[in-house]
C-alpha cells in the first residue's frame, strides 16, 4: 500500500506532481487568463463585491493561508488576512457580508476550523471551504468551495495537501484578480506557470537522494532555524513545523528580518540555519541576514534557485529549486523542505508516519 516507499510521507511527497495535476486539471482558462472554480458558486458580480478575504485554518493549513494572503493582495488587489481558526472564533471578529471567509482544512474535520466556519456563517459572511476530504463536515457546512483532489493523505505530516492548497489559493486569487486590475495577459502568464507546477515539483522530488545526503549533515543537531522573507516567510514557518513534528528537533521559523530582534542570541557554533534565498524580491536582504548568522558560527543550508552561484556562495550546503514565478516558487521550495525533514527524521530513526503525540485530524479544541 506504500507503493514501494518506506513511509507514507515519502510516498505522498512523490505523489505531489500527480496531486497537483489533479488539483489543477480543468481549472485553468487560457482564453480568459483566469481560472474555473465552479464549486465557488459565485458570479463575477459576487466576486466584485468581495472587499476582503479572511482565511482560517490550523497548522500546515494556516501556513498555506499565509501564502494565500500574499497571493490575494498581489494578484487580486484585495485585502487578505489569515487567522488561526481558534483565534478567529474567540476574538469576536469583525466580519461583514462583503467578506469572503475561506476555511482551509485537509481533513475538513478540524474542530477549531469548523467552529470558525459556524461563526462566520452566523456573521453573514460569504463562506467557502478549501478541503481535501470530499463530503467532510467543513465541506458540507460551507456548502461551497473548492476541493483539492490531492488524494488520500495518510501520513500525519501534511505534504501534498499543503502544496495543493497553495495551488488552489493561487487559482482563486487569479479568478478574483481578473475581476479587478489583473489583465488577461497577466492571467495567461500566471496560468501557464501554475500549469507547469507538476513539472517543477517533479524536478525537485528527483533530488531526494541528494537532499538525503545533505540531511545527514544536520541530523545530529537539536535546534534549527528557518528564515525567509516575503512569499518565503510562510514557507520558513512550514519548514520548521515539518522538521519539529517528525524529527523532534527544536525548529523555529522566523522572518529573516526578525532574527536580530532576539532569536540571533541562540546561535552558536554549528547551529543550523536553513535560509530560503531563492531568486525573488528580498533575496539580497536575506543573504545579508545569512552573513549575520555565519558571523555567529551558524552552519547555513541555503535553498536557492538553480544555477544561482551568487547565492550559493553564501551557503555551507545548498538545495536547488527550479526558476519560476515567485509565488509559484513557494511550492517547489516547500517540497524541498519536506524532503529535508523526511530525510533528517529517517537518519534519526523516527516513527515518521506516526509522530508521537500527534493525530491526523484534531477533532477536539
Ligand atoms: C502538520 C499537520 C497539521 C494540520 C492541522 C490542520 O503537518 O498536518 O498541522 O495541518 O492539524 O489539519 P486540517 O488541514 O485537516 O484542518
Amino acid at each position: 500500500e506504500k507503493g514501494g516507499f518506506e513511509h507514507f510521507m515519502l510516498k505522498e511527497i512523490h505523489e505531489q506532481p500527480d496531486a497537483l495535476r489533479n488539483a489543477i486539471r480543468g481549472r485553468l482558462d487560457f482564453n480568459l487568463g483566469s481560472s474555473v472554480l465552479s464549486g465557488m458558486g459565485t458570479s463575477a458580480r459576487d466576486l466584485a463585491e468581495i472587499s476582503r478575504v479572511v482565511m482560517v485554518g490550523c497548522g500546515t493549513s494556516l501556513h498555506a493561508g499565509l501564502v494565500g494572503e500574499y497571493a490575494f493582495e498581489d494578484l487580486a488587489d484585495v485585502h487578505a488576512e489569515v487567522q488561526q481558526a481558534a483565534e478567529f472564533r474567540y476574538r469576536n471578529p469583525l466580519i461583514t457580508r462583503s467578506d469572503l471567509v475561506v476555511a482551509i482544512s485537509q481533513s475538513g474535520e478540524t474542530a477549531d476550523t469548523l467552529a470558525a466556519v459556524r461563526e462566520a456563517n452566523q456573521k453573514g459572511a460569504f463562506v467557502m471551504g478549501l478541503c481535501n476530504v470530499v463530503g467532510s463536515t467543513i465541506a458540507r457546512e460551507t456548502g461551497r468551495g473548492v476541493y483539492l483532489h490531492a488524494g488520500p493523505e495518510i501520513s500525519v505530516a501534511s505534504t501534498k495537501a499543503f502544496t495543493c492548497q497553495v495551488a488552489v489559493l493561487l487559482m482563486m486569487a487569479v479568478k478574483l484578480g481578473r475581476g479587478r486590475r489583473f489583465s488577461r495577459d497577466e492571467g495567461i502568464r500566471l496560468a501557464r506557470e501554475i500549469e507547469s507546477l507538476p513539472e517543477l515539483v517533479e524536478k525537485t522530488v528527483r533530488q531526494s537522494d541528494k537532499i538525503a545526503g545533505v540531511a545527514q549533515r544536520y541530523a545530529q543537531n537539536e535546534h534549527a532555524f528557518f528564515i525567509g522573507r516575503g512569499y518565503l516567510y510562510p514557507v520558513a514557518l512550514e519548514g520548521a513545523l515539518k522538521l519539529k513534528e517528525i524529527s523532534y528537533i527544536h525548529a523555529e521559523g522566523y522572518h529573516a528580518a526578525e532574527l536580530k530582534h532576539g532569536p540571533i542570541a541562540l546561535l552558536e557554533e554549528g547551529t543550523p540555519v536553513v535560509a530560503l534565498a531563492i531568486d525573488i524580491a528580498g533575496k539580497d536582504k536575506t543573504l545579508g541576514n545569512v552573513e549575520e548568522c555565519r558571523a555567529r558560527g551558524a552552519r547555513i543550508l541555503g535553498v536557492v534557485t538553480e544555477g544561482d552561484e551568487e547565492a550559493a556562495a553564501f551557503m555551507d550546503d545548498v538545495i536547488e529549486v527550479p526558476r519560476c514565478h515567485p509565488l509559484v516558487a513557494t511550492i517547489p521550495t516547500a517540497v524541498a523542505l519536506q524532503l529535508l525533514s523526511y530525510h533528517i527524521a529517517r537518519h534519526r530513526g523516527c516513527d515518521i508516519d506516526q509522530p508521537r503525540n500527534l493525530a491526523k485530524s484534531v477533532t477536539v479544541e
Side-chain angles (χ1 to χ4, degrees):
E1 57 184 355
K2 288 183 199 146
F5 290 98
E6 198 176 336
H7 297 95
F8 280 109
M9 183 181 178
L10 190 62
K11 172 173 181 263
E12 287 161 9
I13 290 172
H14 280 79
E15 278 170 356
Q16 286 176 112
D18 276 338
L20 286 159
R21 223 166 266 128
N22 291 334
I24 293 165
R25 180 172 300 122
R27 288 175 164 173
L28 292 171
D29 182 332
F30 291 96
N31 231 328
L32 294 176
S34 186
S35 52
V36 187
L37 301 166
S38 47
M40 281 173 76
T42 42
S43 64
R45 212 184 158 85
D46 291 335
L47 291 182
E49 276 167 18
I50 290 166
S51 61
R52 186 173 66 144
V53 181
V54 180
M55 288 157 284
V56 293
C58 302
T60 290
S61 296
L62 176 69
H63 294 154
L66 271 166
V67 180
E69 246 183 45
Y70 292 88
F72 283 113
E73 292 193 351
D74 285 358
L75 306 178
D77 274 330
V78 59
H79 293 285
E81 59 184 73
V82 60
Q83 294 190 24
Q84 207 285 337
E87 188 59 20
F88 177 89
R89 177 186 184 192
Y90 287 110
R91 73 192 292 183
N92 194 18
L94 282 171
I95 294 292
T96 67
R97 50 175 300 155
S98 64
D99 285 329
L100 168 63
V101 174
V102 183
I104 308 176
S105 175
Q106 187 284 129
S107 62
E109 303 295 343
T110 299
D112 281 320
T113 311
L114 175 59
V117 164
R118 291 179 176 157
E119 185 62 26
N121 275 331
Q122 279 303 311
K123 303 226 181 242
F126 213 72
V127 186
M128 271 179 207
L130 208 169
C131 299
N132 191 36
V133 177
V134 176
S136 56
T137 312
I138 292 172
R140 280 187 280 113
E141 293 207 10
T142 47
R144 57 172 94 210
V146 186
Y147 280 119
L148 300 181
H149 300 311
E153 194 178 64
I154 310 291
S155 159
V156 164
S158 185
T159 53
K160 60 179 178 171
F162 175 79
T163 49
C164 290
Q165 284 163 344
V166 174
V168 170
L169 287 166
L170 292 179
M171 291 189 286
M172 285 175 93
V174 170
K175 188 174 169 73
L176 230 73
R178 286 290 286 123
R180 293 174 162 74
R181 297 280 306 145
F182 212 48
S183 72
R184 175 172 177 270
D185 281 356
E186 285 172 303
I188 292 173
R189 208 174 317 128
L190 195 64
R192 286 214 186 95
E193 291 266 354
I194 294 171
E195 195 190 26
S196 73
L197 266 169
E199 209 179 300
L200 296 168
V201 168
E202 183 72 59
K203 267 186 152 177
T204 310
V205 165
R206 259 189 253 126
Q207 295 185 64
S208 185
D209 289 345
K210 186 180 168 237
I211 295 175
V214 173
Q216 194 157 24
R217 301 199 273 281
Y218 292 85
Q220 304 313 322
N221 292 86
E222 290 310 316
H223 304 276
F225 292 87
F226 288 70
I227 59 170
R229 287 170 180 264
Y231 302 155
L232 298 174
Y233 168 49
V235 182
L237 299 183
E238 173 58 12
L241 173 61
K242 213 95 292 173
L243 184 65
K244 72 185 106 184
E245 71 179 322
I246 61 168
S247 76
Y248 313 137
I249 291 173
H250 167 224
E252 301 265 13
Y254 278 102
H255 191 284
E258 195 56 25
L259 270 190
K260 45 176 161 309
H261 299 282
I264 203 166
L266 292 166
L267 296 184
E268 292 174 353
E269 200 57 43
T271 307
V273 173
V274 181
L276 307 185
I278 65 173
D279 196 10
I280 65 174
K283 178 186 90 171
D284 292 345
K285 293 267 186 313
T286 300
L287 293 178
N289 301 126
V290 163
E291 274 306 289
E292 291 159 3
C293 296
R294 178 189 302 288
R296 274 84 185 174
R299 182 180 177 108
I300 318 285
L301 167 52
V303 182
V304 304
T305 302
E306 205 171 27
D308 185 351
E309 280 167 21
E310 184 213 352
F314 282 74
M315 316 297 177
D316 294 299
D317 297 284
V318 159
I319 299 174
E320 288 186 329
V321 293
R323 184 176 293 279
C324 54
H325 182 283
L327 264 168
V328 169
T330 54
I331 292 176
T333 307
V335 172
L337 297 186
Q338 293 166 357
L339 283 165
L340 177 70
S341 293
Y342 173 82
H343 288 297
I344 289 179
R346 195 174 164 279
H347 285 305
R348 290 165 72 91
C350 297
D351 187 358
I352 291 176
D353 285 331
Q354 289 292 333
R356 69 184 181 211
N357 309 340
L358 293 176
K360 182 64 184 160
S361 85
V362 182
T363 51
V364 291
E365 287 182 39

